[in-house]
Amino acid sequence: MAPTTVYYTDNGGRGWATVELQAVLMARLFEADLVRLDASRGYSKVELLPGLLPRRRRSGFALVIAPAPAHLNAVLSRHALLTAHDYVAGWVVDSFWTDRIPRIARHRGAFDHLFVTDGELVDHWATSTGSPTTWLPFGSDVLDHGSADPDRPVDVQRFGRMPPTWEDEATVALRAAAHGIRYAGRTPFSADPVANQRSLLRAAGRAAFTVAFSNAAAPADYTHPTHEYLTGRWTDSLAAGAVVAGIPPTCQATRELLWDGALLELEGIDLESGLAAIKAARDSWTPVRARHNHALALQRLDWRRRAQVISQVSGVTTPTLVAELSRLEAAIATSSVP
């Protein structure tokens, strides 16, 4: 059974570059066509009905990378229905929106397997959909775009959404300077996901620390109000060798994926006490920390490890995936873990 297609639904707006590049990499690893779908419109009843009929099986493997649960509807796209894949897997990134699981996912036979990024919700998804479900957490392209560079001219780099006390960049920069901290604010946004992601990782690779706060500490209208989850802000920071300062999410991914020294947990969202804690940690920082974080990120966070799980579950592999896993193992073998 040859792999054929990776479906990715463009969620629109900012913040999805890392997921789009995840889809691009998965398509390369599985030697599959990448079909991008537009999320700007829903699915009509005409489109929904064929998807709820018994699935026609023909040949090939399909992986649906769904930024949100609704994007599992990608299997109702014209391309998917006409192709009639023999094996269909879905990977839901924002799987914490359990109240938004679409009807197609609950339809027996639509998906042979589901992967979700929230380990705590595997049983919920399996029960709700009737599909075998596996935890497949967020990752990063550590192998090709991570960094163990010992030269860190920036003490702390802002990474994404902040609580109100940390939001005003001019104030944070002023107070950081008063603490003797070299602070860098938001990186310029690019509509090109490749350029945007490389800019973020390049900035993180120049910093000893990044600063990031969980959705519980820094909520927004697009974050989940109660369920906490690990995102690319943590995985990309660690791939770049930086320590993540702030308040991490309380979740299975944080507990099981991360390691001692990956995080500098602040006591709260107060700016002055947070900067003081970062300054104290920076004073004792050495390049060994960057090498250690990058080495463990290679072991635990690289997207190729996630592709390996998909391969094991589905039985689908390719020469490219085998070669890339070998390259990853070689990098791990030569990386420095004190």
Side-chain angles (χ1 to χ4, degrees):
M1 180 172 58
T4 54
T5 309
V6 169
Y7 294 94
Y8 170 69
T9 302
D10 184 357
N11 205 31
R14 299 187 179 190
W16 294 101
T18 186
V19 180
E20 180 167 352
L21 295 185
Q22 167 195 353
V24 171
L25 179 58
M26 291 298 146
R28 183 168 72 82
L29 295 177
F30 286 104
E31 299 178 5
D33 294 331
L34 178 61
V35 175
R36 288 182 170 87
L37 301 171
D38 185 358
S40 63
R41 64 179 186 85
Y43 291 86
S44 69
K45 291 182 179 179
V46 173
E47 290 171 307
L48 288 170
L49 182 58
L52 300 178
L53 296 174
R55 193 172 92 214
R56 294 181 300 115
R57 295 176 182 266
R58 187 171 298 151
S59 66
F61 166 65
L63 174 64
V64 177
I65 295 181
H71 300 136
L72 292 172
N73 280 313
V75 296
L76 302 176
S77 70
R78 179 175 176 82
H79 186 283
L81 291 174
L82 290 177
T83 304
H85 300 282
D86 185 61
Y87 189 101
V88 179
W91 187 0
V92 186
V93 177
D94 282 2
S95 55
F96 47 79
W97 295 118
T98 53
D99 57 332
R100 303 179 186 179
I101 298 175
R103 187 181 178 188
I104 189 62
R106 300 177 188 274
H107 179 62
R108 299 296 192 269
F111 288 91
D112 296 284
H113 205 97
L114 289 172
F115 300 94
V116 296
T117 58
D118 297 277
E120 301 89 342
L121 301 177
V122 166
D123 289 344
H124 182 98
W125 273 85
T127 301
S128 297
T129 65
S131 296
T133 304
T134 298
W135 179 39
L136 203 62
F138 215 85
S140 181
D141 190 351
V142 189
L143 183 61
D144 283 339
H145 298 296
S147 174
D149 193 340
D151 183 19
R152 304 276 162 158
V154 172
D155 295 324
V156 61
Q157 170 69 52
R158 172 181 173 141
F159 232 59
R161 169 175 39 83
M162 293 287 138
T165 46
W166 286 77
E167 180 58 36
D168 185 78
E169 298 221 303
T171 299
V172 175
L174 183 66
R175 296 310 307 151
H179 283 267
I181 294 172
R182 294 165 295 181
Y183 171 80
R186 291 183 181 91
T187 57
F189 174 75
S190 171
D192 176 1
V194 174
N196 196 66
Q197 190 65 7
R198 286 183 179 172
S199 174
L200 286 170
L201 285 166
R202 187 163 48 248
R206 288 171 47 82
F209 297 82
T210 62
V211 61
F213 291 86
S214 74
N215 53 303
D221 58 2
Y222 55 85
T223 63
H224 198 279
T226 56
H227 183 83
E228 297 181 51
Y229 45 94
L230 195 75
T231 70
R233 290 188 294 156
W234 281 267
T235 57
D236 284 344
S237 294
L238 293 166
V243 176
V244 189
I247 299 179
T250 302
C251 62
Q252 184 174 338
T254 301
R255 293 190 303 271
E256 298 188 17
L257 286 182
L258 305 190
W259 51 88
D260 289 344
L263 305 173
L264 173 61
E265 297 193 45
L266 304 182
E267 293 183 357
I269 62 172
D270 177 70
L271 177 62
E272 294 298 327
S273 62
L275 289 171
I278 292 170
K279 179 61 166 65
R282 177 53 162 152
D283 287 345
S284 61
W285 182 92
T286 70
V288 170
R289 175 51 51 195
R291 294 198 303 272
H292 185 75
N293 281 349
H294 178 254
L296 285 171
L298 280 169
Q299 294 180 23
R300 303 186 185 186
L301 303 180
D302 194 90
W303 285 126
R304 292 160 185 79
R305 285 283 185 241
R306 310 299 183 254
Q308 185 177 31
V309 174
I310 295 171
S311 176
Q312 291 166 346
V313 168
S314 66
V316 173
T317 191
T318 66
T320 299
L321 177 58
V322 171
E324 287 291 290
L325 287 172
S326 295
R327 196 162 67 91
L328 177 62
E329 293 294 350
I332 291 170
T334 58
S335 63
S336 173
V337 181

